[in-house]
Amino acid sequence: MVKKLIQTDLSGQCGILGKWNANVFYVDRKKCWIISNAKTQYLVILTDIKTADLKNIEEIFKNAFYGQLVYDGIITDFENVSAKIGRLDFLPTDNDRKTNGFQNHHLRQLNWWKHEFGSLENMPIKDLTNRLNNSPIHIGKSHKMSDYTDAIVEMKKLLAE
């Protein structure tokens, strides 16, 4: 779907928020994207993405990200968020196993909710994403309790930098 957008000649520089990983999943035969921030594991879900939407994918992502931030109680200025994201660059996969693991875990939860709500139109996407972003996660190298947090807390820290 995004093969035309993938670039291979970039230096690999990420914006302030770091890299984001995306995966496609389906609800009612409609393509949806689960996008997670590698530093914070903060999720944004884009629903019913069509090939025609790819020309505006940067705007769609920024609006969805900002909307999710507001829903999650992270109040900030849209221009600030847009500046911190910068330009979206689509790169070939880097096989980030940790982020892929988080996404696969969250996709299993979304599959459960697909059956509960029935159709995409009945799924409260921002609320479900909020539930996923509030789930306890482990970020850090040791196994201390202080390394457990949630994606919303981590994204607040990252945006405050």
Side-chain angles (χ1 to χ4, degrees):
M1 181 175 184
V2 296
K3 285 184 181 178
K4 294 179 222 163
L5 298 175
I6 294 178
Q7 304 165 0
T8 56
D9 58 348
L10 292 175
S11 64
Q13 293 292 335
C14 293
I16 294 169
L17 298 180
K19 70 179 178 119
W20 294 77
N21 289 33
N23 253 324
V24 174
F25 67 101
Y26 295 87
V27 179
D28 295 336
R29 297 185 311 204
K30 295 178 181 163
K31 288 182 183 173
C32 302
W33 292 13
I34 184 169
I35 305 171
S36 58
N37 180 270
K39 288 182 181 180
T40 64
Q41 300 309 324
Y42 188 83
L43 295 176
V44 177
I45 296 178
L46 307 179
T47 58
D48 198 15
I49 300 297
K50 298 173 181 63
T51 304
D53 296 328
L54 294 180
K55 64 182 177 202
N56 299 322
I57 197 67
E58 186 168 320
E59 179 182 339
I60 292 168
F61 170 71
K62 286 180 179 182
N63 287 331
F65 177 48
Y66 183 73
Q68 191 64 49
L69 288 173
V70 171
Y71 192 90
D72 290 341
I74 304 173
I75 307 300
T76 186
D77 186 52
F78 179 79
E79 286 74 27
N80 178 39
V81 171
S82 182
K84 287 192 178 192
I85 292 172
R87 194 180 99 229
L88 292 186
D89 295 319
F90 289 86
L91 304 173
T93 184
D94 63 353
N95 293 320
D96 181 348
R97 292 178 63 199
K98 181 178 177 184
T99 302
N100 288 341
F102 276 109
Q103 282 184 337
N104 289 335
H105 176 72
H106 292 314
L107 284 172
R108 279 193 295 276
Q109 290 177 295
L110 283 169
N111 277 330
W112 177 267
W113 288 325
K114 281 195 291 190
H115 296 294
E116 182 179 331
F117 292 103
S119 69
L120 182 61
E121 290 77 24
N122 293 335
M123 293 178 76
I125 295 297
K126 287 202 185 325
D127 181 57
L128 297 177
T129 307
N130 174 268
R131 293 181 200 181
L132 295 172
N133 284 334
N134 270 314
S135 300
I137 58 173
H138 181 265
I139 295 180
K141 303 244 185 269
S142 68
H143 294 286
K144 293 187 241 173
M145 286 302 289
S146 61
D147 287 340
Y148 286 87
T149 183
D150 65 56
I152 293 173
V153 169
E154 294 303 308
M155 184 53 75
K156 280 182 185 176
K157 287 181 195 175
L158 189 59
L159 287 172
E161 290 179 2

